[in-house]
Amino acid sequence: SFSIRQCCDRPKNTNVRISLPAVCFVWQIAMIILFGIFIRYNEESDAHWIEHKTSNNISSNIENDFYFRYPSFQDVHVMIFVGFGFLMTFLKRYSFGAVGFNFLIAGFGLQWALLMQGWFHSLDPMDGKIKIGVESMINADFCVASCLIAYGAVLGKVSPVQLMVMTLFGVTLYAVEEYIILSLIHARDAGGSMVIHTFGAYYGLSISWMLYRPNLDQSKHRIGSVYHSDVFAMIGTLFLWMFWPSFNSAISDHGDGQHRAAINTYLSLAATVLTSIAISSLSQKTGKLDMVHIQNATLAGGVAVGTAAEFMLMPYGSLIVGFCCGIISTLGYIYITPFMEKYLKIHDTCGIHNLHAMPGVIGGIVGAITAAAASKGVYGTEGLANTFDFMGKWKDMMPTQQGGHQAAGLCVALCFGIGGGIIVGCILRLPIWGDAPDNSCFDDDIYWELPEDEENNPPTVEYNNHMRNKAV
Amino acid sequence: SFSIRQCCDRPKNTNVRISLPAVCFVWQIAMIILFGIFIRYNEESDAHWIEHKTSNNISSNIENDFYFRYPSFQDVHVMIFVGFGFLMTFLKRYSFGAVGFNFLIAGFGLQWALLMQGWFHSLDPMDGKIKIGVESMINADFCVASCLIAYGAVLGKVSPVQLMVMTLFGVTLYAVEEYIILSLIHARDAGGSMVIHTFGAYYGLSISWMLYRPNLDQSKHRIGSVYHSDVFAMIGTLFLWMFWPSFNSAISDHGDGQHRAAINTYLSLAATVLTSIAISSLSQKTGKLDMVHIQNATLAGGVAVGTAAEFMLMPYGSLIVGFCCGIISTLGYIYITPFMEKYLKIHDTCGIHNLHAMPGVIGGIVGAITAAAASKGVYGTEGLANTFDFMGKWKDMMPTQQGGHQAAGLCVALCFGIGGGIIVGCILRLPIWGDAPDNSCFDDDIYWELPEDEENNPPTVEYNNHMRNKAV
Amino acid sequence: SFSIRQCCDRPKNTNVRISLPAVCFVWQIAMIILFGIFIRYNEESDAHWIEHKTSNNISSNIENDFYFRYPSFQDVHVMIFVGFGFLMTFLKRYSFGAVGFNFLIAGFGLQWALLMQGWFHSLDPMDGKIKIGVESMINADFCVASCLIAYGAVLGKVSPVQLMVMTLFGVTLYAVEEYIILSLIHARDAGGSMVIHTFGAYYGLSISWMLYRPNLDQSKHRIGSVYHSDVFAMIGTLFLWMFWPSFNSAISDHGDGQHRAAINTYLSLAATVLTSIAISSLSQKTGKLDMVHIQNATLAGGVAVGTAAEFMLMPYGSLIVGFCCGIISTLGYIYITPFMEKYLKIHDTCGIHNLHAMPGVIGGIVGAITAAAASKGVYGTEGLANTFDFMGKWKDMMPTQQGGHQAAGLCVALCFGIGGGIIVGCILRLPIWGDAPDNSCFDDDIYWELPEDEENNPPTVEYNNHMRNKAV
């Protein structure tokens, strides 16, 4: 891949005045046309619901799926826009890009996801239309999450146009791998440890590897936080942390499935907080805590419990998963991220390898083991069939087999993430996307009109020197 | 109106130590007395609910309206207090006033709204009492929203006492126009494009026109953001954006009505993000994005889909509405706001004309067209009657007629907004309200005790000069 | 207690590199073991739910308690982590400690609370296991709230290890007093005015008294806010304020109980905003508002309506409670906090005496009066029995008796708070916990790695002097 890299390295032009509006307009118009052809309300959001209710003996409007899932949807929605957006505001001069481009990607991605996922999952054979409802919105937000995870690896190093391309392909790849994992392989993945986190993280890391910038240390002074940008990032952390139980339970089964997924996630995350803080303190000579760990590693338990959250993981099982992931994720920030940058040429701005990739893989493995260990004693006969969806053509499936299928699903997610990321990374190396030169990364000034006094606020080292020179 | 203006322009005294506490105490005591006389729990929040359940054959507590609407209420509540409050924190030295006065207005307004709306909508003829429940709380928050929109036009230029007066009259006018539009004219307006946004925006703009300050450029250096105040404002933007589907669906029909309103709003807002960003980038020579557009114009799609959200607008219809409004709203910030200030003498601090007035009117028109185009084929016989409430005395209404009624409703909202704003603006010109002189607008120092180091943080141009002088 | 104090005053070592990780690891491992032995899913979150549904004639999954309470749980969760966390970020140099240690305490506390509360309230006599569900999670969050309230009194003056110890004992004491008040005494306390706020506040104040630092004025220059830290604190204030109706209604009865509790809290809080602002303005010579009052006193109405929220307090009754508490709480900040520091040697960083202690006691009294005044006329026969849980061994209870039991409950909360706080305060005086010396309080630099430019941001007086010296 080095030859491709070299052929693409030309002087940088960061003017996106043609390309960004063009991409936004053309793709948005394409969305309108495709929605016009394909997308309709499903029977629970269509005005014919009253007739549907009567003909299906549904006794009350409260049985509409809206009331089962809408509160969870809103929590997931907050995670996507505020959670991911603010988590990335930690850089001293890239908060606009963090929260603003996150907004752009998610706004586009969810539309494309409704189409792609619709074609694979909810195409009505009667009329060839995709029927959407509240669950489709949750799934679209989930799909977008994988692209936002990938954004974390390349934060500050790519242009908004590159992000749009990344999202277009990311959503497409996601829909295909999701279809293979959930429908063809029949793996279960309620909280998306494999489908969302493993895929998204390796997709982003592969792209970052393909876009490796040998001279990135020219922007090194901007890779860091200031006091208030760290507090902003904690807004993202906390909304992700708090609403993760909703994320993992949003599309699991009505009743005990959603209930159990929420409990497991709640517990796993609590354990992660303690072990992240413990390792963070241990890692410093004086026992001081590092905000990077608090902002990120505390979330690893939510990722790792994603697949197994709806299973009978047991409360102590959730704690164990969270316990381990807090340790692993924090150690990842301390040892693996610098190693990857130095030896593997993978620069990972937000450390998604520690927060999403490793915990995602662990989550897939935990899911496989938990599934393989399932028994009628623990689940009940009906409960087992219901939890693992042993119905229709899968009605004779055994839990041990299911464990194997789960493992297969994890492999698919990995392959799609790495393979897709390499291909998309190649495309993004083309010198047409308006990305910044190596000495201007992590700087909002490239793509944003900044407030007039921007050079002085927040006060940086340059500013102080500047002041001193003026004064002397 | 110029003669009125001149007669009211006297030297300014910004001490509100008598007037602000007096208004707060007297009005709050009035609220307590009026609540004591008029307001009681409705049958779903009263302890007699158990008996009501039995006598009405309600099978389960989950049928209590609380469970249909409370999650949406909480989302709306967040929009009112965090959404509107933080959206206005973008000014470099007016964040306290933005979030603090927003809090005051909303806290008072919701009480007065419960009374005013109660008298018009939920007076129990049996005992002359207003019966409140979760839907009343949502409606009170909605009513307050219109006053907070109006605040956006005069942000930084009025005293808290003026804001209280504005809210008192704003809520009163709102309750009347809402009664006329929804009950007398029988227009539908689930998300309040007309009732909330059109009314609120023109109310605020008219007041701002009446309070025009010819020498406001003396405060010009404070009309702008600093880096971190723009990030704070994004908190407001995102919570408004994320919860707008709840806003538009909060009081629509149980079942498919709420479900569909949420989907339509979700889609419209997504499209708005892309076109806002596109126009923002196009408007700058180098393609850089402007935070003002991202913070505001991205929300226009939610406003414009308010009336039609519960109709069968179709997913692509929602996208088209959002597409257009993102363009129009962003262009409004670029061309119309400066024009209005220069030629119409209307200074609009937050650009509510672009975010609420124009999209609100568009929303009213979209609602009228969608209603007029409704058919039994699309809605089903029962669905049509249900969606448009063609019942009781309106049972023979035709969709085309309904379209006309919708248009009439829009006109009423416009008239109340403009007319009410002019009258209230006159009252607010009286030189007794403690507003700031033209050279002290947009400055928290007038009404707030600021932290001791306030002059240094955030560092402003004055501060730098000051430092330089000291140093040399 | 002075002799104990002196014997413990030794030179301070703030290195927590051994103690903090040790506490986190050991206690988390203990949690895993205890959860393994004791904690299981309840019948609504267990995979046997399908069978349970059939055997109990439950017609629909929507009857699962998850759908009654999960939205409220999530709101409470936000209050615990974002609400309490950000409310305490107001100090200029202690935002990391505020939000970070809040996170740590809550993450540990909720696990320990599930165990402690489980042993007292939901131990299944059949198998000796604690069965958890969504209501357990809410109760655990409630329990944690009392420890976070206590943290407010000692913010900036204790080490994270001390906080962990405080939380361990705080949760334990809470579970016992809660059992005595709710189960033995049969007092009702839906929103926890007594159980959570009175207990938590006096627990924290007693600890602060035991840990009194005579030379704290050496850190006086850091006890204050900067402009942006006050805006961050408003995030906490608003999320607490907005979600308080969910807090007070989260565990009240299905149906009218939850509905009424939300309405009462909504109204009480609205009234508090107006009277807090009125008193704040009155208290300054020029009528300016003080952010401390807006951030804190505006919440007092939610505390004070906690016990009575589910009773037929009537809407005007809620307004009266809020009205009074806004006044009392703001006056507390102006007069009582300085008095307590000067004469009682109790330093209360966040003023929890004004926000939680006094309003909590008022809430207990309001609850006792409202209960004593309850009648079958107002509640209905079934409603009365239902609201006050006059069932089983309490079926012949009279409302007046209930009023006495409520008052007894309040006394128990006070005794546990004060007594427990004194004992735990003694333990925390041991010179082994790594707390900061008197001249380094309220400084994140003790326990956190700060961003490199920390000394310059936010610019403080020291910074300016430093610059001036450099320059000259």
Side-chain angles (χ1 to χ4, degrees):
Chain A
S1 75
F2 268 90
S3 60
I4 301 170
R5 269 179 204 164
Q6 279 149 0
C7 101
C8 294
D9 287 343
R10 309 235 187 102
K12 305 280 190 181
N13 175 3
T14 62
N15 189 329
V16 292
R17 196 186 176 189
I18 303 303
S19 53
L20 182 58
V23 165
C24 288
F25 273 124
V26 172
W27 294 5
Q28 186 58 56
I29 290 167
M31 288 301 116
I32 292 173
I33 295 167
L34 290 168
F35 269 61
I37 299 172
F38 287 105
I39 296 207
R40 298 291 178 272
Y41 304 115
N42 74 6
E43 53 206 8
E44 306 198 277
S45 55
D46 191 282
H48 288 85
W49 160 252
I50 313 181
E51 294 158 24
H52 175 78
K53 229 172 45 169
T54 314
S55 64
N56 286 266
N57 260 325
I58 295 166
S59 62
S60 162
N61 278 321
I62 198 93
E63 298 280 339
N64 192 305
D65 199 33
F66 183 79
Y67 303 102
F68 285 92
R69 303 207 185 274
Y70 188 72
S72 306
F73 160 69
Q74 271 299 359
D75 293 349
V76 171
H77 215 42
V78 172
M79 293 173 73
I80 299 300
F81 289 88
V82 163
F84 284 109
F86 273 84
L87 186 62
M88 298 190 288
T89 57
F90 72 100
L91 289 172
K92 67 181 81 165
R93 300 297 295 155
Y94 209 71
S95 300
F96 289 9
V99 81
F101 296 151
N102 185 83
F103 199 13
L104 172 63
I105 298 173
F108 165 65
L110 64 86
Q111 298 177 53
W112 181 227
L114 281 173
L115 282 162
M116 283 301 304
Q117 293 182 313
W119 284 319
F120 281 109
H121 289 290
S122 38
L123 207 59
D124 185 335
M126 300 286 286
D127 57 4
K129 305 292 186 195
I130 296 163
K131 302 293 169 68
I132 62 170
V134 63
E135 198 170 332
S136 320
M137 297 198 291
I138 298 171
N139 276 314
D141 272 22
F142 275 6
C143 177
V144 165
S146 70
C147 296
L148 298 177
I149 291 165
Y151 180 28
V154 297
L155 180 75
K157 300 176 290 182
V158 293
S159 75
V161 183
Q162 282 176 309
L163 287 172
M164 290 291 283
V165 174
M166 234 174 99
T167 306
L168 179 77
F169 288 108
V171 168
T172 311
L173 289 162
Y174 179 96
V176 177
E177 59 111 33
E178 184 194 40
Y179 176 69
I180 295 173
I181 295 171
L182 303 187
S183 301
L184 300 188
I185 298 182
H186 191 262
R188 303 282 292 171
D189 197 9
S193 297
M194 306 182 286
V195 169
I196 301 168
H197 297 284
T198 304
F199 164 74
Y202 284 103
Y203 180 64
L205 291 167
S206 304
I207 291 174
S208 187
W209 179 62
M210 292 305 295
L211 298 180
Y212 183 71
R213 292 165 176 270
N215 303 313
L216 193 62
D217 53 357
Q218 292 170 3
S219 293
K220 208 170 72 179
H221 56 290
R222 275 185 300 264
I223 310 185
S225 60
V226 290
Y227 194 73
H228 280 160
S229 71
D230 269 327
V231 182
F232 277 119
M234 281 304 293
I235 296 174
T237 300
L238 288 175
F239 276 102
L240 286 170
W241 195 92
M242 296 181 303
F243 288 162
W244 217 293
S246 302
F247 191 94
N248 285 348
S249 68
I251 55 163
S252 47
D253 288 337
H254 289 176
D256 65 298
Q258 285 194 280
H259 204 149
R260 191 164 56 249
I263 294 172
N264 286 333
T265 311
Y266 174 81
L267 292 173
S268 176
L269 284 163
T272 309
V273 174
L274 273 83
T275 53
S276 300
I277 287 181
I279 299 290
S280 182
S281 176
L282 264 180
S283 73
Q284 289 283 340
K285 222 164 53 184
T286 56
K288 290 188 187 185
L289 299 170
D290 188 330
M291 258 295 175
V292 171
H293 307 152
I294 312 306
Q295 283 159 9
N296 294 280
T298 51
L299 299 167
V303 175
V305 88
T307 302
E310 60 175 346
F311 302 160
M312 293 288 286
L313 181 59
M314 306 316 285
Y316 66 89
S318 307
L319 290 183
I320 293 170
V321 172
F323 185 93
C324 299
C325 283
I327 297 171
I328 292 167
S329 182
T330 314
L331 290 175
Y333 278 96
I334 300 167
Y335 297 111
I336 301 178
T337 299
F339 174 88
M340 280 172 50
E341 186 179 350
K342 198 163 169 194
Y343 297 104
L344 306 183
K345 310 287 181 207
I346 301 175
H347 181 269
D348 178 4
T349 312
C350 296
I352 63 164
H353 186 260
N354 314 305
L355 171 47
H356 297 282
M358 290 192 300
V361 171
I362 292 170
I365 296 168
V366 169
I369 295 169
T370 318
S375 69
K376 288 188 181 171
V378 173
Y379 287 77
T381 309
E382 282 180 274
L384 190 67
N386 206 46
T387 304
F388 293 98
D389 202 20
F390 291 158
M391 286 156 194
K393 82 184 247 218
W394 305 96
K395 79 174 185 316
D396 297 323
M397 191 96 152
M398 300 292 295
T400 45
Q401 280 177 287
Q402 179 68 30
H405 287 226
Q406 296 288 136
L410 180 58
C411 297
V412 172
L414 276 166
C415 295
F416 266 80
I418 296 170
I422 289 173
I423 295 165
V424 175
C426 283
I427 296 168
L428 295 180
R429 285 194 72 76
L430 297 174
I432 57 172
W433 304 118
D435 51 322
D438 290 359
N439 64 355
S440 302
C441 286
F442 315 111
D443 192 349
D444 272 335
D445 198 33
I446 304 296
Y447 303 115
W448 297 87
E449 289 292 311
L450 294 186
E452 273 176 28
D453 63 329
E454 56 99 356
E455 63 187 320
N456 307 324
N457 180 27
T460 58
V461 177
E462 296 93 299
Y463 159 64
N464 297 339
N465 290 336
H466 174 76
M467 284 295 297
R468 221 170 294 151
N469 297 344
K470 278 260 164 81
V472 178
Chain B
S1 73
F2 269 89
S3 60
I4 302 172
R5 269 179 204 165
Q6 279 149 1
C7 102
C8 295
D9 285 343
R10 310 238 185 98
K12 306 281 191 179
N13 175 2
T14 62
N15 189 328
V16 291
R17 196 185 177 191
I18 304 303
S19 55
L20 181 59
V23 165
C24 289
F25 273 125
V26 172
W27 293 6
Q28 186 59 57
I29 290 167
M31 289 300 116
I32 291 173
I33 295 168
L34 291 169
F35 269 60
I37 299 172
F38 286 106
I39 296 205
R40 298 292 177 270
Y41 304 115
N42 72 8
E43 54 206 5
E44 305 196 277
S45 56
D46 190 283
H48 288 85
W49 161 252
I50 313 181
E51 294 159 24
H52 175 78
K53 229 172 46 170
T54 314
S55 64
N56 287 267
N57 261 323
I58 295 165
S59 62
S60 161
N61 279 319
I62 198 92
E63 298 280 338
N64 192 303
D65 198 34
F66 183 79
Y67 301 103
F68 285 90
R69 304 210 184 272
Y70 189 72
S72 306
F73 160 68
Q74 272 298 359
D75 293 349
V76 171
H77 216 40
V78 172
M79 293 173 73
I80 298 299
F81 289 89
V82 163
F84 284 109
F86 273 85
L87 185 63
M88 297 190 288
T89 57
F90 72 100
L91 289 173
K92 68 181 80 165
R93 300 299 294 157
Y94 210 72
S95 301
F96 289 9
V99 82
F101 295 151
N102 184 84
F103 199 12
L104 171 64
I105 298 173
F108 164 65
L110 64 86
Q111 298 178 54
W112 181 226
L114 282 173
L115 282 162
M116 283 301 304
Q117 294 182 313
W119 284 319
F120 280 110
H121 289 288
S122 41
L123 207 59
D124 185 334
M126 301 286 285
D127 58 4
K129 305 292 186 195
I130 296 162
K131 302 295 170 64
I132 62 169
V134 64
E135 197 171 333
S136 320
M137 297 198 292
I138 298 171
N139 275 314
D141 272 22
F142 275 7
C143 177
V144 164
S146 69
C147 297
L148 299 177
I149 291 165
Y151 180 27
V154 296
L155 180 76
K157 300 176 290 182
V158 292
S159 76
V161 183
Q162 282 176 310
L163 288 170
M164 290 291 282
V165 175
M166 234 174 98
T167 306
L168 179 77
F169 287 109
V171 168
T172 310
L173 289 162
Y174 179 96
V176 177
E177 58 112 33
E178 184 194 39
Y179 177 68
I180 295 172
I181 294 171
L182 303 187
S183 299
L184 299 188
I185 297 183
H186 191 263
R188 304 282 292 170
D189 197 10
S193 297
M194 306 182 286
V195 169
I196 301 169
H197 296 285
T198 303
F199 165 74
Y202 285 104
Y203 180 63
L205 291 168
S206 304
I207 291 173
S208 187
W209 180 61
M210 292 305 294
L211 299 180
Y212 183 70
R213 292 165 175 271
N215 303 313
L216 192 63
D217 53 357
Q218 291 171 4
S219 291
K220 208 169 74 179
H221 57 290
R222 276 186 300 264
I223 309 185
S225 60
V226 290
Y227 194 73
H228 280 161
S229 71
D230 269 328
V231 183
F232 277 119
M234 281 303 293
I235 296 174
T237 300
L238 289 175
F239 275 102
L240 286 170
W241 195 92
M242 295 181 304
F243 288 162
W244 217 294
S246 302
F247 192 93
N248 285 348
S249 67
I251 56 162
S252 47
D253 289 337
H254 289 177
D256 64 298
Q258 286 194 280
H259 204 149
R260 191 165 55 248
I263 294 172
N264 286 334
T265 312
Y266 174 82
L267 292 173
S268 176
L269 284 163
T272 309
V273 174
L274 273 84
T275 52
S276 301
I277 288 180
I279 299 289
S280 182
S281 177
L282 262 181
S283 73
Q284 289 284 341
K285 223 165 52 185
T286 56
K288 290 188 187 186
L289 298 170
D290 188 330
M291 258 294 175
V292 171
H293 308 153
I294 312 305
Q295 284 160 8
N296 294 282
T298 51
L299 299 167
V303 174
V305 88
T307 302
E310 61 177 346
F311 302 160
M312 292 289 285
L313 182 59
M314 307 314 286
Y316 66 89
S318 308
L319 290 183
I320 293 171
V321 172
F323 185 93
C324 298
C325 282
I327 297 172
I328 292 168
S329 182
T330 313
L331 290 175
Y333 278 95
I334 300 168
Y335 298 111
I336 302 178
T337 299
F339 174 87
M340 280 171 53
E341 187 179 350
K342 198 163 169 195
Y343 297 105
L344 306 183
K345 309 289 180 205
I346 301 174
H347 181 269
D348 178 4
T349 312
C350 295
I352 63 165
H353 186 262
N354 315 305
L355 172 47
H356 297 282
M358 290 191 301
V361 171
I362 292 170
I365 295 168
V366 169
I369 295 170
T370 319
S375 70
K376 288 189 181 171
V378 173
Y379 288 78
T381 309
E382 281 181 273
L384 189 68
N386 207 46
T387 304
F388 292 98
D389 202 20
F390 291 157
M391 285 156 195
K393 81 184 245 218
W394 306 97
K395 78 175 186 318
D396 297 324
M397 190 96 153
M398 301 292 295
T400 44
Q401 279 176 288
Q402 179 68 29
H405 288 225
Q406 296 288 136
L410 179 59
C411 296
V412 172
L414 276 166
C415 293
F416 267 79
I418 296 171
I422 290 174
I423 295 164
V424 174
C426 282
I427 298 168
L428 295 180
R429 285 194 74 76
L430 297 174
I432 58 173
W433 305 118
D435 50 322
D438 290 359
N439 64 354
S440 301
C441 287
F442 315 112
D443 192 349
D444 272 334
D445 198 33
I446 304 296
Y447 303 114
W448 298 87
E449 290 290 311
L450 293 187
E452 273 174 29
D453 63 329
E454 55 101 355
E455 63 185 321
N456 306 325
N457 180 25
T460 58
V461 177
E462 295 94 299
Y463 159 65
N464 296 339
N465 290 336
H466 174 76
M467 284 293 298
R468 221 170 292 152
N469 297 344
K470 277 261 165 80
V472 179
Chain C
S1 74
F2 269 88
S3 61
I4 301 171
R5 269 179 203 163
Q6 278 148 4
C7 102
C8 293
D9 287 343
R10 308 236 187 102
K12 305 279 190 181
N13 175 2
T14 62
N15 188 327
V16 292
R17 197 188 175 189
I18 304 303
S19 53
L20 181 59
V23 165
C24 288
F25 273 125
V26 173
W27 294 5
Q28 185 58 57
I29 290 166
M31 289 300 116
I32 291 173
I33 295 168
L34 291 168
F35 269 61
I37 300 171
F38 286 105
I39 295 207
R40 297 293 178 272
Y41 304 114
N42 73 8
E43 53 207 5
E44 306 196 276
S45 54
D46 191 281
H48 287 85
W49 160 253
I50 314 180
E51 294 159 25
H52 175 79
K53 228 173 46 170
T54 313
S55 65
N56 286 266
N57 260 323
I58 295 166
S59 62
S60 162
N61 279 320
I62 198 91
E63 299 280 337
N64 193 305
D65 198 33
F66 183 78
Y67 302 103
F68 285 91
R69 303 208 185 275
Y70 189 72
S72 306
F73 160 69
Q74 272 299 0
D75 293 348
V76 171
H77 216 42
V78 172
M79 292 172 74
I80 299 299
F81 290 88
V82 163
F84 284 109
F86 273 85
L87 186 62
M88 297 191 287
T89 57
F90 72 100
L91 289 172
K92 68 182 81 165
R93 298 300 293 156
Y94 210 71
S95 300
F96 289 9
V99 82
F101 295 151
N102 184 84
F103 199 13
L104 172 64
I105 298 173
F108 165 66
L110 65 87
Q111 298 177 54
W112 181 226
L114 282 173
L115 282 162
M116 283 301 305
Q117 295 183 313
W119 284 319
F120 282 109
H121 290 288
S122 40
L123 207 59
D124 185 335
M126 300 286 285
D127 57 5
K129 305 293 186 197
I130 296 162
K131 302 295 169 65
I132 62 170
V134 63
E135 197 171 332
S136 321
M137 297 199 291
I138 297 171
N139 275 313
D141 272 21
F142 275 6
C143 177
V144 164
S146 70
C147 298
L148 298 178
I149 290 165
Y151 179 27
V154 297
L155 179 76
K157 300 175 291 182
V158 294
S159 76
V161 184
Q162 283 176 309
L163 288 171
M164 290 291 281
V165 175
M166 233 175 99
T167 305
L168 179 77
F169 288 108
V171 168
T172 311
L173 288 161
Y174 178 97
V176 177
E177 58 111 32
E178 184 193 41
Y179 177 69
I180 295 173
I181 293 171
L182 303 187
S183 300
L184 300 187
I185 297 183
H186 191 262
R188 303 283 292 172
D189 197 10
S193 297
M194 306 182 286
V195 169
I196 301 168
H197 297 284
T198 304
F199 164 74
Y202 284 103
Y203 180 64
L205 291 167
S206 304
I207 291 174
S208 187
W209 180 61
M210 293 305 294
L211 299 179
Y212 183 70
R213 293 164 175 271
N215 305 313
L216 193 62
D217 53 357
Q218 292 171 4
S219 292
K220 208 170 70 179
H221 57 291
R222 275 187 299 266
I223 311 185
S225 59
V226 290
Y227 193 75
H228 280 161
S229 72
D230 269 327
V231 183
F232 277 120
M234 281 304 293
I235 297 174
T237 299
L238 289 175
F239 275 103
L240 287 170
W241 195 93
M242 295 180 304
F243 289 163
W244 218 293
S246 302
F247 191 94
N248 285 348
S249 68
I251 56 162
S252 47
D253 288 337
H254 290 177
D256 65 300
Q258 285 194 281
H259 203 148
R260 191 164 56 250
I263 294 172
N264 285 333
T265 312
Y266 173 82
L267 292 174
S268 176
L269 284 162
T272 309
V273 174
L274 271 84
T275 52
S276 301
I277 287 181
I279 300 290
S280 183
S281 177
L282 263 180
S283 72
Q284 289 285 340
K285 224 165 50 186
T286 56
K288 290 187 186 187
L289 299 170
D290 188 331
M291 259 293 177
V292 171
H293 307 152
I294 312 306
Q295 283 159 10
N296 294 280
T298 51
L299 299 167
V303 175
V305 89
T307 302
E310 61 176 346
F311 302 161
M312 293 288 285
L313 180 59
M314 307 314 286
Y316 67 88
S318 308
L319 290 184
I320 293 170
V321 172
F323 184 93
C324 299
C325 282
I327 297 172
I328 292 168
S329 183
T330 313
L331 290 175
Y333 277 95
I334 300 169
Y335 298 111
I336 302 178
T337 299
F339 175 88
M340 281 172 51
E341 186 177 351
K342 197 161 171 194
Y343 297 105
L344 306 182
K345 309 288 180 205
I346 301 175
H347 181 269
D348 178 3
T349 313
C350 296
I352 63 164
H353 186 262
N354 314 306
L355 172 48
H356 298 282
M358 291 192 300
V361 171
I362 292 170
I365 295 168
V366 169
I369 294 170
T370 319
S375 70
K376 288 189 182 172
V378 173
Y379 288 77
T381 310
E382 281 181 274
L384 189 68
N386 206 46
T387 304
F388 292 98
D389 202 20
F390 292 157
M391 286 157 195
K393 82 185 245 218
W394 305 98
K395 79 173 183 317
D396 298 323
M397 190 97 153
M398 300 292 296
T400 45
Q401 279 177 288
Q402 180 67 29
H405 288 225
Q406 296 288 136
L410 180 58
C411 297
V412 172
L414 275 166
C415 293
F416 266 79
I418 296 171
I422 289 174
I423 295 165
V424 174
C426 283
I427 297 168
L428 295 180
R429 285 195 72 77
L430 296 174
I432 57 173
W433 304 119
D435 50 322
D438 290 358
N439 63 356
S440 301
C441 287
F442 315 111
D443 192 349
D444 272 334
D445 198 34
I446 304 296
Y447 303 114
W448 296 88
E449 290 291 311
L450 294 187
E452 272 174 30
D453 63 330
E454 56 101 356
E455 64 185 319
N456 306 326
N457 180 28
T460 59
V461 177
E462 297 94 298
Y463 159 64
N464 297 337
N465 290 335
H466 173 75
M467 283 295 297
R468 218 169 296 152
N469 297 344
K470 278 260 165 82
V472 178

